[in-house]
Amino acid sequence: MKIGIDKMSFFTSDLYLPMEDLAKARNEDPNKYLIGIGQSKQAVIRNSQDSVTLAANAALKIVDDNEKEKIDLILFGTESGVDNSKSGAIYLQSLLGINSSASGVELKQACFGLTAGIQMAMGHIALHPESRVLLVGSDIARYGIGTLGEKTQGGGAIAIIMSANPHLLEIGTQSAHLTKDIMDFWRPLNRSEALVDGKYSSAEFINFFKETFENYLEKTGEEIDKFTALVFHLPYTKMGLKALRSVIEDLDNDDLKERLLEHFEESRYLNREVGNLYTGSLYLSLLSLLHARNLKAGDQIGLFSYGSGAEGEFYSAKVVEGYEKYVTNDEIAFLDQRVSVSVAEYERIYRSFMKPQTADYRTEFENDPAPFVLKGQQQQQQRIYEKVN
């Protein structure tokens, strides 16, 4: 039975900060941001959005009335959860009106959560061939104003529906996994901003990729030339380029090198425009590659997922015949309608986010054009979500 990705969608804020402006405000050379880390724009998330509303806004694009009845499992990958007990999947089920017999859980392991969900969905569908599984990766990447990590912020959500006989990608049954207890990135319970050892994390990212990739090739007996493209989790897009170069620099096949590099450029386009999605980052790379429409049926794509702390996994997927009909520009056209904000406005919005507190709070949701918004909290910190558009 073929199991894989049937539908994909994406959502982020209607606001962005040009990286050139941020570089100048921090007295840095703009090329350090534009070329050095490979970012052009950074999504500025309104205080009326959180991981739940971002996920709902992404999923709304692919969850129609038919899907609401058929979805029987919701897997919510995030490291920006809004509650230490209640799952984001419960909020999502309610907001979207998905049938009440569907089950759901929240998955957390830094940026690895959605990939863990992919593997869980594979097993679930194998046991229940008629199942349709909704998966989301939804996060807001926050490091702090003026910190070293500031230039790798961003946010948004990817939504995926997996099923048997998918229309986009058939996911392979083999993968290579690596887990190590390391402190390259963490977020203490009393903080909304992450802490990161940047150089150490970057080095471990490449180490994890090389080890899982080599283990995958050994396990399957395949060679690198079997892959049409390799896509990566991209905390910043230069990171993926470094990882790719680490396995192609010694190749004698120039055509293969050129092919993998060309497809990598296609895969990082959307990430350059949005910034770090955390859990959804790898799958935004995948969506970007599919939107380039330079693939054909049967092409094999390698996917590398990394979640600091750390877990890494390499697996593969094959392109399904006719995938182009299910990838439309309408899904990403909204990016061209976004509004640029100044550094000062970005800083104001950043500081306006609701902090852990017992008092009632009201966000600036009236200014938010998104369908789903966070209006604030009341009655012992109960969050108030609403569909307004």
Side-chain angles (χ1 to χ4, degrees):
M1 178 171 57
K2 296 179 179 179
I3 301 173
I5 296 176
D6 193 57
K7 297 179 181 179
M8 293 185 74
S9 59
F10 163 61
F11 180 82
T12 191
S13 171
D14 64 310
L15 306 177
Y16 74 90
L17 175 65
M19 295 303 288
E20 183 174 2
D21 293 354
L22 180 61
K24 291 177 179 177
R26 303 297 180 251
N27 297 312
E28 301 253 31
D29 179 356
N31 285 332
K32 183 176 179 181
Y33 292 30
L34 301 174
I35 300 173
I37 65 167
Q39 296 297 137
S40 301
K41 299 173 183 175
Q42 183 178 105
V44 176
I45 309 299
R46 294 179 181 271
N47 68 7
S48 49
Q49 293 291 319
D50 63 11
S51 59
V52 169
T53 57
L54 292 170
N57 286 315
L60 182 65
K61 300 178 182 182
I62 56 174
V63 178
D64 56 20
D65 289 341
N66 186 50
E67 297 288 9
K68 292 174 185 178
E69 292 303 314
K70 289 189 174 183
I71 290 169
D72 65 351
L73 178 62
I74 303 168
L75 299 172
F76 195 116
T78 186
E79 57 180 279
S80 309
V82 301
D83 191 291
N84 286 327
S85 177
K86 186 175 179 179
S87 166
I90 300 296
Y91 289 113
L92 188 61
Q93 182 178 22
S94 175
L95 288 172
L96 295 175
I98 294 172
N99 72 89
S100 59
S101 63
S103 61
V105 293
E106 186 172 305
L107 305 170
K108 183 188 75 174
Q109 170 35 51
C111 301
F112 185 74
L114 179 50
T115 298
I118 293 282
Q119 299 300 340
M120 290 176 66
M122 291 284 288
H124 178 80
I125 296 167
L127 291 173
H128 310 282
E130 300 302 315
S131 172
R132 297 185 69 77
V133 180
L134 172 63
L135 307 97
V136 295
S138 182
D139 279 300
I140 302 173
R142 288 168 63 92
Y143 291 100
I145 293 172
T147 65
L148 291 175
E150 182 182 32
K151 56 185 174 291
T152 62
Q153 296 182 137
I158 288 285
I160 293 170
I161 291 179
M162 285 182 59
S163 69
N165 303 313
H167 287 110
L168 293 178
L169 295 168
E170 176 190 352
I171 296 176
T173 58
Q174 297 291 326
S175 67
H177 194 95
L178 179 64
T179 302
K180 293 182 181 179
D181 183 3
I182 62 175
M183 294 299 291
D184 63 329
F185 174 105
W186 64 103
R187 184 185 302 161
L189 292 176
N190 64 340
R191 294 178 62 97
S192 61
E193 299 85 14
L195 298 170
V196 61
D197 185 337
K199 290 184 179 180
Y200 178 44
S201 189
S202 295
E204 285 300 312
F205 181 104
I206 294 175
N207 290 337
F208 268 64
F209 166 62
K210 292 175 71 174
E211 186 166 343
T212 55
F213 183 53
E214 290 167 3
N215 287 346
Y216 178 89
L217 296 180
E218 182 178 356
K219 181 184 291 188
T220 61
E222 296 177 355
E223 301 290 340
I224 189 172
D225 61 2
K226 294 296 183 181
F227 294 96
T228 300
L230 297 176
V231 295
F232 298 83
H233 164 61
L234 296 176
Y236 54 94
T237 71
K238 189 67 172 288
M239 186 71 259
L241 182 58
K242 290 178 180 178
L244 177 60
R245 285 172 174 167
S246 74
V247 297
I248 68 172
E249 57 188 357
D250 295 328
L251 294 177
D252 294 329
N253 189 332
D254 290 338
D255 289 340
L256 176 58
K257 284 184 181 180
E258 183 178 353
R259 182 181 79 209
L260 292 175
L261 286 168
E262 285 180 355
H263 285 307
F264 174 77
E265 289 301 321
E266 294 169 346
S267 73
R268 73 166 167 173
Y269 171 73
L270 292 177
N271 297 76
R272 286 191 66 104
E273 293 290 301
V274 177
N276 196 349
L277 255 66
Y278 281 168
T279 319
S281 174
L282 166 61
Y283 300 94
L284 185 60
S285 303
L286 177 60
L287 186 65
S288 186
L289 178 66
L290 293 174
H291 271 274
R293 294 185 177 82
N294 287 326
L295 302 170
K296 61 182 184 301
D299 281 349
Q300 185 160 311
I301 301 170
L303 300 97
F304 174 63
S305 180
Y306 180 79
S308 293
E311 286 194 60
E313 184 160 303
F314 185 91
Y315 69 102
S316 67
K318 287 186 178 180
V319 177
V320 173
E321 179 77 38
Y323 82 96
E324 304 96 328
K325 293 183 292 184
Y326 300 91
V327 178
T328 68
N329 286 333
D330 292 343
E331 296 171 357
I332 59 174
F334 74 97
L335 291 175
D336 294 330
Q337 309 303 317
R338 292 180 299 167
V339 177
S340 172
V341 299
S342 66
V343 174
E345 178 63 3
Y346 140 71
E347 292 179 352
R348 186 198 69 78
I349 293 173
Y350 184 100
R351 293 189 175 103
S352 72
F353 263 63
M354 184 168 63
K355 297 177 176 62
Q357 61 188 47
T358 57
D360 291 354
Y361 186 86
R362 182 183 177 92
T363 69
E364 300 167 2
F365 69 91
E366 297 93 343
N367 301 322
D368 194 337
F372 290 103
V373 297
L374 167 67
K375 298 181 73 172
Q377 71 174 25
Q378 63 184 20
Q379 297 178 352
Q380 297 183 352
Q381 297 175 275
Q382 295 182 32
R383 292 198 169 211
I384 309 165
Y385 296 112
E386 188 171 306
K387 190 174 188 295
V388 295
N389 294 313

